[in-house]
Amino acid sequence: MKASESERSNGAAAYERLLRAIEEGELAPGSRLREAELAERFSISRTPVREALGRLEAQGLVAHEPHRGASVAQLDYGQVSELYDMREVLEGTAARLAAIHASAVETEILEEMIARDRTLTGDAAALARNNRLFHRQIHAAARNRFLQGTLETMRLSLVLLPGTTTLAAPERAGESLDEHAAIIAAIRARDGDRAEAAARAHIRAAFKARIRIWQGVQPPP
């Protein structure tokens, strides 16, 4: 392998590892990103780390400030609100299209994912990972590459959401799985209107849970 190919491979690997660290909360919004420390952490040279940081900065996940250097980007309340508004529209559209295009096998897979996740209600981190997989499966079933591309871009912004996953909030895990089940029931019934409405309601509930986390407010009994 040529040196340039090796560097590209290392750069891609560094990008994936950095993205995963941000996505899983190991590098929280606002965390400093020093090339030397990251290179040591990943046991690679600083060049691929620099390349990865540049790519993440272009995607809006890394901010670079004079005299402070690079850090994981942070979203303010307005940006988070805008993100959930757009997510409601896109996830609703994906569910509607999945109700039209999803195969019987894809629907069964989605139902199996919900059943599996009901055994994990005490593990917020695992539920958060599986939640991403669940939504990406719906996106794939929608059969629209342009929608998928937009949703993937939005997914990158979602990793910047402040605080812990909403699935760590009391009762939210069970509620979220019930909402997932409602979406899949509509998809199985080939009811696009109901699937979109269920997906939109799911995202609104997630945003409400996100606000409660920020405010430290517990949901009513």
Side-chain angles (χ1 to χ4, degrees):
M1 178 181 290
K2 296 179 181 179
S4 59
E5 293 176 339
S6 178
E7 288 175 1
R8 284 196 295 270
S9 177
N10 287 338
Y15 169 82
E16 292 297 335
R17 293 176 73 174
L18 271 169
L19 178 59
R20 185 164 59 251
I22 295 171
E23 192 169 43
E24 296 184 355
E26 295 175 30
L27 293 171
S31 299
R32 295 286 299 277
L33 299 171
R34 298 178 176 87
E35 286 182 14
E37 292 178 0
L38 293 171
E40 181 178 357
R41 177 175 180 170
F42 297 147
S43 300
I44 55 178
S45 69
R46 294 177 63 168
T47 299
V49 170
R50 188 177 305 117
E51 177 186 326
L53 289 175
R55 183 176 173 187
L56 290 166
E57 184 175 359
Q59 293 172 328
L61 301 185
V62 166
H64 195 94
E65 301 176 12
H67 311 300
R68 188 171 187 271
S71 62
V72 180
Q74 302 181 79
L75 300 178
D76 60 28
Y77 183 88
Q79 290 171 315
V80 173
S81 179
E82 291 167 5
L83 181 58
Y84 272 98
D85 282 345
M86 185 54 63
R87 189 182 181 198
E88 181 182 332
V89 172
L90 295 175
E91 294 286 2
T93 301
R96 173 182 286 276
L97 291 175
I100 298 171
H101 298 295
S103 67
V105 170
E106 287 172 316
T107 305
E108 289 170 7
I109 290 294
L110 287 163
E111 289 170 339
E112 289 172 4
M113 294 174 84
I114 295 172
R116 176 197 61 198
D117 288 348
R118 289 195 187 281
T119 69
L120 300 173
T121 53
D123 189 340
L127 283 173
R129 288 192 295 271
N130 290 349
N131 180 67
R132 292 191 289 270
L133 294 174
F134 175 84
H135 282 282
R136 292 177 83 173
Q137 182 60 50
I138 291 179
H139 304 165
R143 302 286 196 279
N144 188 301
R145 71 190 70 183
F146 301 104
L147 177 61
Q148 274 189 273
T150 304
L151 283 161
E152 182 61 20
T153 299
M154 184 184 67
R155 184 188 73 82
L156 293 174
S157 297
L158 289 173
V159 306
L160 299 176
L161 289 173
T164 185
T165 171
T166 57
L167 298 174
E171 309 301 326
R172 181 58 195 151
E175 292 172 354
S176 179
L177 292 176
D178 289 343
E179 291 156 13
H180 283 181
I183 296 169
I184 302 313
I187 290 174
R188 178 171 282 284
R190 300 294 186 191
D191 190 332
D193 288 344
R194 184 155 61 97
E196 179 173 359
R200 282 176 169 265
H202 173 55
I203 300 305
R204 288 195 300 272
F207 184 35
K208 188 174 183 179
R210 175 68 56 187
I211 293 174
R212 282 176 170 158
I213 288 175
W214 278 350
Q215 296 178 339
V217 175
Q218 296 297 320

